Amino acid sequence: MPTLLEAAQAAGDDADALYDAFLEWATGRGIALYPAQDEAAMELASGNNVVLSTPTGTGKSLVALAAHAIAVGRGGRTYYTAPIKALVSEKFFSLVETFGAENVGMVTGDSSVNSDAPIVCCTAEILANLALREGADADVDQVVMDEFHYYGDRDRGWAWQVPLLLLPRAQFLLMSGTLGDTTEIEEDLARRTGRDTTLVAGAERPVPLHFRYEKRHAHEVVEELLADREVPVYVVHFSQAAAMERAQALASINVTTREQRDEIAAALGGFRFTTNFGKTLSRLVRAGIGVHHAGMLPRYRRLVETLAQQGLLRVICGTDTLGVGINVPIRTVLITELSKYDGSRMRRLGAREFHQISGRAGRAGYDPYGNVVVLAPEHEIDNAQAVAKAGDDPKKLKKVKKKQAPKGFISWSEQ
Protein backbone atom coordinates (compact mmCIF):
# COMPACT_ATOMS: atom_id res chain seq x y z
CA MET A 1 0.00 0.00 0.00
CA PRO A 2 1.46 3.44 -0.92
CA THR A 3 2.28 5.94 1.81
CA LEU A 4 0.09 9.03 2.17
CA LEU A 5 2.84 11.10 0.54
CA GLU A 6 3.13 8.75 -2.44
CA ALA A 7 -0.64 8.62 -2.90
CA ALA A 8 -0.97 12.41 -2.72
CA GLN A 9 1.90 13.00 -5.15
CA ALA A 10 0.40 10.50 -7.58
CA ALA A 11 -2.91 12.40 -7.41
CA GLY A 12 -1.19 15.68 -8.30
CA ASP A 13 -3.52 18.64 -8.80
CA ASP A 14 -6.69 16.57 -9.30
CA ALA A 15 -9.07 17.52 -6.45
CA ASP A 16 -11.09 14.28 -6.58
CA ALA A 17 -7.96 12.13 -6.75
CA LEU A 18 -6.42 13.99 -3.78
CA TYR A 19 -9.55 13.48 -1.67
CA ASP A 20 -9.78 9.79 -2.69
CA ALA A 21 -6.09 9.26 -1.89
CA PHE A 22 -6.52 10.59 1.64
CA LEU A 23 -9.75 8.63 2.17
CA GLU A 24 -8.13 5.38 1.01
CA TRP A 25 -5.09 6.00 3.23
CA ALA A 26 -7.34 6.60 6.28
CA THR A 27 -9.56 3.59 5.51
CA GLY A 28 -6.47 1.41 5.11
CA ARG A 29 -5.58 2.25 8.70
CA GLY A 30 -9.04 1.49 10.04
CA ILE A 31 -9.95 5.18 10.41
CA ALA A 32 -13.57 6.09 9.66
CA LEU A 33 -13.87 9.84 9.15
CA TYR A 34 -16.44 11.78 11.16
CA PRO A 35 -18.78 13.85 8.92
CA ALA A 36 -16.98 17.10 9.86
CA GLN A 37 -13.57 15.58 9.00
CA ASP A 38 -14.93 14.32 5.68
CA GLU A 39 -16.46 17.69 4.77
CA ALA A 40 -13.30 19.60 5.70
CA ALA A 41 -11.07 17.24 3.66
CA MET A 42 -13.32 17.63 0.60
CA GLU A 43 -13.26 21.44 0.87
CA LEU A 44 -9.47 21.47 1.23
CA ALA A 45 -9.02 19.19 -1.79
CA SER A 46 -11.25 21.61 -3.73
CA GLY A 47 -8.79 24.40 -2.93
CA ASN A 48 -11.03 26.25 -0.49
CA ASN A 49 -10.16 27.81 2.86
CA VAL A 50 -11.69 26.03 5.86
CA VAL A 51 -12.57 27.32 9.32
CA LEU A 52 -12.83 24.16 11.43
CA SER A 53 -14.75 25.00 14.60
CA THR A 54 -15.49 21.65 16.22
CA PRO A 55 -15.12 20.53 19.86
CA THR A 56 -11.83 19.26 21.25
CA GLY A 57 -11.63 15.51 20.64
CA THR A 58 -13.32 15.53 17.22
CA GLY A 59 -10.14 14.83 15.24
CA LYS A 60 -8.90 18.19 13.98
CA SER A 61 -5.36 16.72 13.76
CA LEU A 62 -6.52 14.31 11.05
CA VAL A 63 -7.94 17.20 9.01
CA ALA A 64 -4.59 19.01 9.36
CA LEU A 65 -2.89 15.85 8.08
CA ALA A 66 -5.20 15.85 5.05
CA ALA A 67 -4.37 19.51 4.42
CA HIS A 68 -0.62 18.86 4.44
CA ALA A 69 -1.00 15.86 2.12
CA ILE A 70 -3.12 17.89 -0.32
CA ALA A 71 -0.62 20.77 -0.37
CA VAL A 72 2.40 18.50 -0.88
CA GLY A 73 0.52 16.46 -3.48
CA ARG A 74 0.09 19.69 -5.46
CA GLY A 75 3.82 20.39 -5.11
CA GLY A 76 3.23 23.23 -2.67
CA ARG A 77 4.77 24.33 0.63
CA THR A 78 2.65 24.09 3.77
CA TYR A 79 3.13 25.58 7.23
CA TYR A 80 1.65 24.29 10.49
CA THR A 81 1.55 26.89 13.29
CA ALA A 82 0.81 26.56 17.00
CA PRO A 83 1.09 28.83 20.05
CA ILE A 84 3.64 26.84 22.06
CA LYS A 85 6.90 25.10 21.23
CA ALA A 86 5.75 21.86 22.89
CA LEU A 87 2.87 21.52 20.44
CA VAL A 88 5.07 22.47 17.47
CA SER A 89 7.58 19.81 18.54
CA GLU A 90 4.93 17.14 19.01
CA LYS A 91 3.41 17.89 15.60
CA PHE A 92 6.87 17.78 14.00
CA PHE A 93 7.56 14.25 15.29
CA SER A 94 4.04 13.12 14.33
CA LEU A 95 4.37 14.43 10.76
CA VAL A 96 7.85 12.90 10.41
CA GLU A 97 6.27 9.49 11.11
CA THR A 98 3.74 10.03 8.31
CA PHE A 99 5.72 11.93 5.67
CA GLY A 100 9.35 11.04 6.44
CA ALA A 101 12.10 13.11 8.05
CA GLU A 102 13.29 14.61 4.75
CA ASN A 103 9.86 16.18 4.11
CA VAL A 104 9.23 17.85 7.47
CA GLY A 105 11.01 20.77 9.12
CA MET A 106 10.63 22.67 12.38
CA VAL A 107 11.40 26.29 13.24
CA THR A 108 10.93 27.83 16.69
CA GLY A 109 12.56 30.79 18.37
CA ASP A 110 15.51 28.69 19.51
CA SER A 111 15.85 25.85 17.00
CA SER A 112 15.66 25.14 13.29
CA VAL A 113 15.56 21.68 11.67
CA ASN A 114 15.26 21.09 7.91
CA SER A 115 13.67 24.53 7.45
CA ASP A 116 13.54 24.17 3.63
CA ALA A 117 11.24 21.12 3.79
CA PRO A 118 7.85 21.16 2.04
CA ILE A 119 6.11 20.84 5.43
CA VAL A 120 7.26 23.22 8.17
CA CYS A 121 6.06 23.24 11.79
CA CYS A 122 6.60 26.55 13.58
CA THR A 123 5.28 28.88 16.25
CA ALA A 124 2.74 31.44 15.09
CA GLU A 125 5.22 34.29 15.50
CA ILE A 126 7.73 32.65 13.14
CA LEU A 127 5.22 32.58 10.27
CA ALA A 128 3.96 36.07 11.10
CA ASN A 129 7.50 37.45 10.89
CA LEU A 130 8.06 35.65 7.58
CA ALA A 131 4.85 37.24 6.25
CA LEU A 132 6.00 40.68 7.43
CA ARG A 133 9.39 40.25 5.73
CA GLU A 134 8.30 38.75 2.42
CA GLY A 135 4.58 39.45 2.10
CA ALA A 136 2.80 38.00 -0.93
CA ASP A 137 6.14 36.77 -2.34
CA ALA A 138 6.68 34.38 0.59
CA ASP A 139 7.07 30.71 -0.40
CA VAL A 140 3.88 29.71 1.45
CA ASP A 141 1.11 27.84 -0.40
CA GLN A 142 -0.89 26.70 2.60
CA VAL A 143 -1.20 27.61 6.28
CA VAL A 144 -2.69 25.35 8.96
CA MET A 145 -3.31 27.42 12.10
CA ASP A 146 -3.95 25.42 15.25
CA GLU A 147 -5.58 26.97 18.36
CA PHE A 148 -6.94 29.77 16.16
CA HIS A 149 -8.85 31.33 19.08
CA TYR A 150 -5.52 33.02 19.91
CA TYR A 151 -6.52 35.42 17.10
CA GLY A 152 -8.33 37.41 19.78
CA ASP A 153 -5.53 37.31 22.37
CA ARG A 154 -4.58 40.77 23.62
CA ASP A 155 -0.82 40.17 23.53
CA ARG A 156 -0.24 37.51 20.88
CA GLY A 157 -3.23 37.78 18.55
CA TRP A 158 -1.21 39.75 15.98
CA ALA A 159 0.72 36.60 15.06
CA TRP A 160 -2.52 34.89 13.96
CA GLN A 161 -3.83 38.01 12.21
CA VAL A 162 -0.75 39.00 10.14
CA PRO A 163 -0.58 35.87 7.88
CA LEU A 164 -4.27 36.29 7.01
CA LEU A 165 -3.55 39.86 5.90
CA LEU A 166 -0.22 39.38 4.10
CA LEU A 167 -0.30 35.90 2.48
CA PRO A 168 -3.01 36.20 -0.20
CA ARG A 169 -1.67 33.23 -2.25
CA ALA A 170 -2.07 30.77 0.61
CA GLN A 171 -4.88 28.37 1.37
CA PHE A 172 -5.87 28.52 5.06
CA LEU A 173 -7.12 25.91 7.52
CA LEU A 174 -8.06 27.65 10.78
CA MET A 175 -8.78 25.25 13.67
CA SER A 176 -10.14 25.69 17.19
CA GLY A 177 -12.55 24.01 19.55
CA THR A 178 -13.63 27.35 21.03
CA LEU A 179 -14.52 29.89 18.35
CA GLY A 180 -17.39 32.35 18.37
CA ASP A 181 -18.96 33.93 15.28
CA THR A 182 -16.40 33.78 12.45
CA THR A 183 -18.55 35.36 9.70
CA GLU A 184 -16.38 38.46 9.31
CA ILE A 185 -13.15 36.44 9.21
CA GLU A 186 -14.61 34.08 6.59
CA GLU A 187 -15.76 36.95 4.36
CA ASP A 188 -12.48 38.86 4.68
CA LEU A 189 -10.37 35.74 4.04
CA ALA A 190 -12.40 34.86 0.93
CA ARG A 191 -11.92 38.41 -0.39
CA ARG A 192 -8.17 38.49 0.26
CA THR A 193 -7.32 35.02 -1.06
CA GLY A 194 -9.90 34.75 -3.85
CA ARG A 195 -10.88 31.33 -2.50
CA ASP A 196 -14.25 30.18 -1.16
CA THR A 197 -14.08 29.94 2.61
CA THR A 198 -16.16 27.25 4.33
CA LEU A 199 -17.13 27.00 7.99
CA VAL A 200 -17.23 23.40 9.25
CA ALA A 201 -18.78 23.49 12.72
CA GLY A 202 -21.17 21.92 15.18
CA ALA A 203 -19.88 18.37 15.25
CA GLU A 204 -20.92 16.39 18.30
CA ARG A 205 -18.15 15.42 20.65
CA PRO A 206 -17.61 11.65 20.16
CA VAL A 207 -16.69 11.16 23.83
CA PRO A 208 -19.15 12.70 26.33
CA LEU A 209 -17.80 14.51 29.40
CA HIS A 210 -18.90 14.07 33.02
CA PHE A 211 -18.40 17.15 35.23
CA ARG A 212 -18.22 17.34 39.00
CA TYR A 213 -17.22 19.81 41.73
CA GLU A 214 -15.21 18.48 44.69
CA LYS A 215 -14.84 19.80 48.22
CA ARG A 216 -11.96 17.44 48.98
CA HIS A 217 -8.21 17.95 48.69
CA ALA A 218 -6.42 16.94 45.50
CA HIS A 219 -4.62 13.91 46.97
CA GLU A 220 -7.93 12.45 48.22
CA VAL A 221 -9.57 12.90 44.82
CA VAL A 222 -6.56 11.42 43.00
CA GLU A 223 -6.54 8.37 45.30
CA GLU A 224 -10.23 7.77 44.54
CA LEU A 225 -9.68 8.17 40.77
CA LEU A 226 -6.79 5.69 40.93
CA ALA A 227 -8.91 3.20 42.86
CA ASP A 228 -11.76 3.58 40.35
CA ARG A 229 -9.31 3.31 37.41
CA GLU A 230 -10.40 6.68 35.99
CA VAL A 231 -6.86 7.17 34.71
CA PRO A 232 -4.69 8.72 33.35
CA VAL A 233 -5.41 11.82 35.45
CA TYR A 234 -4.05 15.20 34.37
CA VAL A 235 -3.83 17.54 37.37
CA VAL A 236 -3.96 21.12 36.06
CA HIS A 237 -2.17 24.05 37.73
CA PHE A 238 -1.47 27.59 36.60
CA SER A 239 2.16 27.79 37.67
CA GLN A 240 5.08 25.48 36.96
CA ALA A 241 6.16 25.49 40.60
CA ALA A 242 2.70 24.39 41.78
CA ALA A 243 2.67 21.51 39.27
CA MET A 244 6.06 20.28 40.47
CA GLU A 245 5.10 20.64 44.11
CA ARG A 246 1.91 18.61 43.53
CA ALA A 247 3.79 15.83 41.72
CA GLN A 248 6.25 15.49 44.60
CA ALA A 249 3.39 15.45 47.13
CA LEU A 250 1.55 12.73 45.18
CA ALA A 251 4.71 10.58 45.18
CA SER A 252 3.80 9.69 48.77
CA ILE A 253 0.70 7.75 47.66
CA ASN A 254 0.73 4.39 45.89
CA VAL A 255 0.18 5.23 42.23
CA THR A 256 1.53 2.11 40.50
CA THR A 257 1.96 -1.62 41.04
CA ARG A 258 5.35 -3.35 41.01
CA GLU A 259 4.63 -4.69 37.51
CA GLN A 260 3.80 -1.21 36.22
CA ARG A 261 7.03 0.19 37.68
CA ASP A 262 8.98 -2.57 35.91
CA GLU A 263 7.27 -1.65 32.61
CA ILE A 264 8.23 2.01 33.09
CA ALA A 265 11.86 1.07 33.86
CA ALA A 266 11.98 -1.06 30.69
CA ALA A 267 10.53 1.80 28.61
CA LEU A 268 13.07 4.25 30.00
CA GLY A 269 15.93 1.97 28.98
CA GLY A 270 19.15 3.97 28.89
CA PHE A 271 17.51 7.42 28.91
CA ARG A 272 19.89 9.83 30.65
CA PHE A 273 18.56 12.21 33.30
CA THR A 274 21.43 14.69 33.50
CA THR A 275 20.15 17.76 35.40
CA ASN A 276 18.92 18.13 38.99
CA PHE A 277 15.40 18.49 37.62
CA GLY A 278 16.00 15.37 35.52
CA LYS A 279 16.93 13.34 38.59
CA THR A 280 13.72 14.42 40.30
CA LEU A 281 11.72 13.64 37.15
CA SER A 282 13.36 10.20 36.95
CA ARG A 283 12.16 9.38 40.48
CA LEU A 284 8.64 10.64 39.69
CA VAL A 285 8.10 8.88 36.35
CA ARG A 286 9.39 5.61 37.81
CA ALA A 287 6.55 5.97 40.32
CA GLY A 288 4.02 6.53 37.50
CA ILE A 289 3.81 10.33 37.90
CA GLY A 290 4.63 12.72 35.07
CA VAL A 291 5.31 16.46 35.05
CA HIS A 292 4.49 18.60 31.99
CA HIS A 293 5.02 22.33 31.52
CA ALA A 294 6.61 24.73 29.03
CA GLY A 295 9.64 25.38 31.26
CA MET A 296 10.98 21.83 30.92
CA LEU A 297 13.74 20.87 28.51
CA PRO A 298 12.13 19.53 25.31
CA ARG A 299 13.73 16.09 25.77
CA TYR A 300 12.13 15.72 29.22
CA ARG A 301 8.76 16.98 28.03
CA ARG A 302 8.86 14.63 25.06
CA LEU A 303 9.73 11.71 27.36
CA VAL A 304 6.67 12.40 29.54
CA GLU A 305 4.45 12.61 26.45
CA THR A 306 5.87 9.33 25.09
CA LEU A 307 5.40 7.47 28.39
CA ALA A 308 1.86 8.85 28.67
CA GLN A 309 1.02 7.80 25.10
CA GLN A 310 2.21 4.28 26.00
CA GLY A 311 -0.21 4.28 28.96
CA LEU A 312 2.59 4.05 31.53
CA LEU A 313 1.86 7.22 33.53
CA ARG A 314 -1.26 7.18 35.69
CA VAL A 315 -0.98 10.77 36.94
CA ILE A 316 0.48 13.83 35.20
CA CYS A 317 0.86 17.14 37.01
CA GLY A 318 1.24 20.11 34.73
CA THR A 319 0.15 23.53 33.62
CA ASP A 320 -2.60 24.33 31.18
CA THR A 321 -0.14 23.77 28.28
CA LEU A 322 -1.92 20.45 27.82
CA GLY A 323 -5.09 22.41 27.08
CA VAL A 324 -3.27 23.63 23.98
CA GLY A 325 -3.62 20.56 21.82
CA ILE A 326 -0.86 18.25 23.06
CA ASN A 327 -1.82 14.71 22.07
CA VAL A 328 -1.57 12.88 25.38
CA PRO A 329 -4.25 10.34 26.36
CA ILE A 330 -6.23 11.51 29.40
CA ARG A 331 -9.33 9.96 31.01
CA THR A 332 -9.72 12.58 33.76
CA VAL A 333 -8.83 16.27 33.93
CA LEU A 334 -8.55 17.50 37.53
CA ILE A 335 -8.57 21.32 37.63
CA THR A 336 -7.10 22.55 40.91
CA GLU A 337 -8.31 26.16 40.64
CA LEU A 338 -10.44 28.41 38.46
CA SER A 339 -8.38 31.57 38.79
CA LYS A 340 -4.99 32.36 37.28
CA TYR A 341 -2.40 35.11 36.93
CA ASP A 342 -2.47 36.25 33.28
CA GLY A 343 0.72 38.31 33.33
CA SER A 344 -0.84 41.46 34.73
CA ARG A 345 -3.50 40.41 37.24
CA MET A 346 -5.25 37.53 38.93
CA ARG A 347 -8.56 36.69 37.25
CA ARG A 348 -11.06 33.87 36.88
CA LEU A 349 -10.73 31.51 33.93
CA GLY A 350 -12.84 32.45 30.93
CA ALA A 351 -15.39 29.97 29.59
CA ARG A 352 -13.24 29.42 26.50
CA GLU A 353 -10.17 28.60 28.60
CA PHE A 354 -12.20 26.21 30.76
CA HIS A 355 -13.60 24.38 27.71
CA GLN A 356 -10.15 24.20 26.13
CA ILE A 357 -8.67 22.52 29.22
CA SER A 358 -11.61 20.24 30.02
CA GLY A 359 -11.81 19.16 26.37
CA ARG A 360 -8.60 17.14 26.82
CA ALA A 361 -10.50 14.52 28.85
CA GLY A 362 -11.67 11.37 27.11
CA ARG A 363 -9.91 9.68 24.17
CA ALA A 364 -11.93 8.94 21.03
CA GLY A 365 -11.60 5.24 20.28
CA TYR A 366 -10.41 4.42 23.81
CA ASP A 367 -12.68 5.98 26.44
CA PRO A 368 -16.48 5.71 26.65
CA TYR A 369 -16.44 9.10 28.45
CA GLY A 370 -14.13 11.66 30.01
CA ASN A 371 -14.18 13.17 33.50
CA VAL A 372 -13.70 16.81 34.42
CA VAL A 373 -13.26 17.40 38.16
CA VAL A 374 -12.95 20.92 39.58
CA LEU A 375 -11.69 21.51 43.12
CA ALA A 376 -13.26 24.11 45.38
CA PRO A 377 -10.93 26.80 46.81
CA GLU A 378 -8.69 25.31 49.50
CA HIS A 379 -10.16 27.30 52.40
CA GLU A 380 -13.66 26.11 51.40
CA ILE A 381 -12.47 22.49 51.34
CA ASP A 382 -10.98 22.90 54.85
CA ASN A 383 -14.23 24.48 56.09
CA ALA A 384 -16.39 21.75 54.54
CA GLN A 385 -14.25 19.02 56.12
CA ALA A 386 -14.31 20.75 59.54
CA VAL A 387 -18.12 20.96 59.39
CA ALA A 388 -18.35 17.31 58.31
CA LYS A 389 -16.09 16.28 61.21
CA ALA A 390 -18.36 18.10 63.69
CA GLY A 391 -21.32 16.10 62.41
CA ASP A 392 -24.72 16.94 63.90
CA ASP A 393 -23.36 17.99 67.30
CA PRO A 394 -24.47 21.65 67.78
CA LYS A 395 -21.69 22.31 70.33
CA LYS A 396 -18.97 21.05 67.99
CA LEU A 397 -20.46 22.94 65.05
CA LYS A 398 -20.42 26.15 67.07
CA LYS A 399 -16.69 25.68 67.81
CA VAL A 400 -15.78 25.30 64.12
CA LYS A 401 -13.67 28.30 63.11
CA LYS A 402 -14.12 28.86 59.44
CA LYS A 403 -11.11 29.94 57.41
CA GLN A 404 -11.33 33.07 55.28
CA ALA A 405 -10.02 33.45 51.75
CA PRO A 406 -6.45 34.87 51.60
CA LYS A 407 -6.22 38.60 50.96
CA GLY A 408 -6.63 39.40 47.28
CA PHE A 409 -7.82 35.86 46.47
CA ILE A 410 -10.02 35.57 43.36
CA SER A 411 -12.58 32.97 44.40
CA TRP A 412 -15.01 30.73 42.50
CA SER A 413 -17.92 28.48 43.33
CA GLU A 414 -19.76 25.46 41.95
CA GLN A 415 -22.20 27.81 40.24
Side-chain angles (χ1 to χ4, degrees), residues 175-198:
M175 307 189 298
S176 174
T178 51
L179 286 177
D181 183 4
T182 59
T183 305
E184 285 187 26
I185 291 172
E186 294 163 45
E187 291 173 353
D188 189 65
L189 193 56
R191 180 176 61 81
R192 289 178 186 279
T193 62
R195 300 172 185 265
D196 289 341
T197 300
T198 304

Side-chain angles (χ1 to χ4, degrees), residues 91-101 104 302 309:
K91 190 61 64 175
F92 168 74
F93 286 110
S94 172
L95 291 174
V96 163
E97 285 180 18
T98 303
F99 294 102
V104 187
R302 178 75 180 157
Q309 285 160 355

Side-chain angles (χ1 to χ4, degrees), residues 385-396:
Q385 293 189 342
V387 169
K389 191 175 179 182
D392 297 326
D393 188 327
K395 289 181 181 178
K396 288 182 180 177

Side-chain angles (χ1 to χ4, degrees), residues 157-316:
W158 70 273
W160 278 257
Q161 296 161 19
V162 163
L164 303 186
L165 298 173
L166 299 182
L167 299 175
R169 284 198 312 107
Q171 177 189 39
F172 285 87
L173 168 60
L174 312 177
M175 307 189 298
S176 174
T178 51
L179 286 177
D181 183 4
T182 59
T183 305
E184 285 187 26
I185 291 172
E186 294 163 45
E187 291 173 353
D188 189 65
L189 193 56
R191 180 176 61 81
R192 289 178 186 279
T193 62
R195 300 172 185 265
D196 289 341
T197 300
T198 304
L199 172 66
V200 178
E204 280 189 28
R205 196 177 195 278
V207 180
L209 294 180
H210 301 160
F211 294 86
R212 79 174 196 256
Y213 191 73
E214 276 286 355
K215 290 190 176 180
R216 291 184 294 164
H217 291 293
H219 68 275
E220 298 174 82
V221 178
V222 169
E223 284 187 290
E224 180 188 77
L225 291 167
L226 288 166
D228 293 343
R229 297 184 180 180
E230 299 293 347
V231 293
V233 183
Y234 190 79
V235 190
V236 181
H237 308 78
F238 296 103
S239 80
Q240 297 172 7
M244 192 66 190
E245 192 177 310
R246 179 82 64 193
Q248 290 178 303
L250 289 173
S252 64
I253 67 176
N254 194 16
V255 172
T256 54
T257 63
R258 177 76 230 180
E259 291 79 9
Q260 288 165 338
R261 289 195 292 277
D262 289 342
E263 278 186 68
I264 293 166
L268 287 173
F271 187 91
R272 293 179 66 234
F273 295 90
T274 51
T275 63
N276 286 335
F277 172 85
K279 288 165 187 170
T280 303
L281 182 64
S282 173
R283 178 172 56 81
L284 290 170
V285 295
R286 290 174 195 280
I289 300 169
V291 179
H292 194 283
H293 59 69
M296 295 166 62
L297 286 172
R299 63 191 295 265
Y300 290 146
R301 204 165 51 228
R302 178 75 180 157
L303 173 70
V304 170
E305 291 165 12
T306 302
L307 292 174
Q309 285 160 355
Q310 292 172 0
L312 298 174
L313 300 180
R314 304 185 80 206
V315 179
I316 305 169

Side-chain angles (χ1 to χ4, degrees), residues 22-252:
F22 176 71
L23 192 62
E24 285 173 20
W25 176 85
T27 304
R29 279 153 185 76
I31 301 169
L33 301 187
Y34 299 129
Q37 292 172 317
D38 194 41
E39 183 185 353
M42 280 192 281
E43 294 291 341
L44 289 164
S46 299
N48 299 334
N49 300 315
V50 172
V51 178
L52 185 60
S53 179
T54 56
T56 303
T58 50
K60 288 186 280 293
S61 293
L62 192 64
V63 176
L65 197 67
H68 295 311
I70 288 162
V72 175
R74 289 191 164 118
R77 194 147 193 250
T78 172
Y79 278 73
Y80 167 89
T81 77
I84 60 171
K85 294 172 188 174
L87 183 51
V88 172
S89 174
E90 187 214 339
K91 190 61 64 175
F92 168 74
F93 286 110
S94 172
L95 291 174
V96 163
E97 285 180 18
T98 303
F99 294 102
E102 68 279 9
N103 295 306
V104 187
M106 177 172 67
V107 184
T108 61
D110 50 20
S111 67
S112 178
V113 178
N114 198 18
S115 59
D116 293 326
I119 304 171
V120 178
C121 304
C122 63
T123 50
E125 283 81 1
I126 294 290
L127 181 65
N129 284 320
L130 174 65
L132 286 168
R133 283 196 313 273
E134 301 182 19
D137 295 328
D139 184 16
V140 181
D141 299 291
Q142 183 193 75
V143 177
V144 176
M145 286 185 165
D146 213 345
E147 310 297 333
F148 183 67
H149 51 274
Y150 272 79
Y151 178 94
D153 185 84
R154 182 184 62 191
D155 298 316
R156 298 184 64 197
W158 70 273
W160 278 257
Q161 296 161 19
V162 163
L164 303 186
L165 298 173
L166 299 182
L167 299 175
R169 284 198 312 107
Q171 177 189 39
F172 285 87
L173 168 60
L174 312 177
M175 307 189 298
S176 174
T178 51
L179 286 177
D181 183 4
T182 59
T183 305
E184 285 187 26
I185 291 172
E186 294 163 45
E187 291 173 353
D188 189 65
L189 193 56
R191 180 176 61 81
R192 289 178 186 279
T193 62
R195 300 172 185 265
D196 289 341
T197 300
T198 304
L199 172 66
V200 178
E204 280 189 28
R205 196 177 195 278
V207 180
L209 294 180
H210 301 160
F211 294 86
R212 79 174 196 256
Y213 191 73
E214 276 286 355
K215 290 190 176 180
R216 291 184 294 164
H217 291 293
H219 68 275
E220 298 174 82
V221 178
V222 169
E223 284 187 290
E224 180 188 77
L225 291 167
L226 288 166
D228 293 343
R229 297 184 180 180
E230 299 293 347
V231 293
V233 183
Y234 190 79
V235 190
V236 181
H237 308 78
F238 296 103
S239 80
Q240 297 172 7
M244 192 66 190
E245 192 177 310
R246 179 82 64 193
Q248 290 178 303
L250 289 173
S252 64

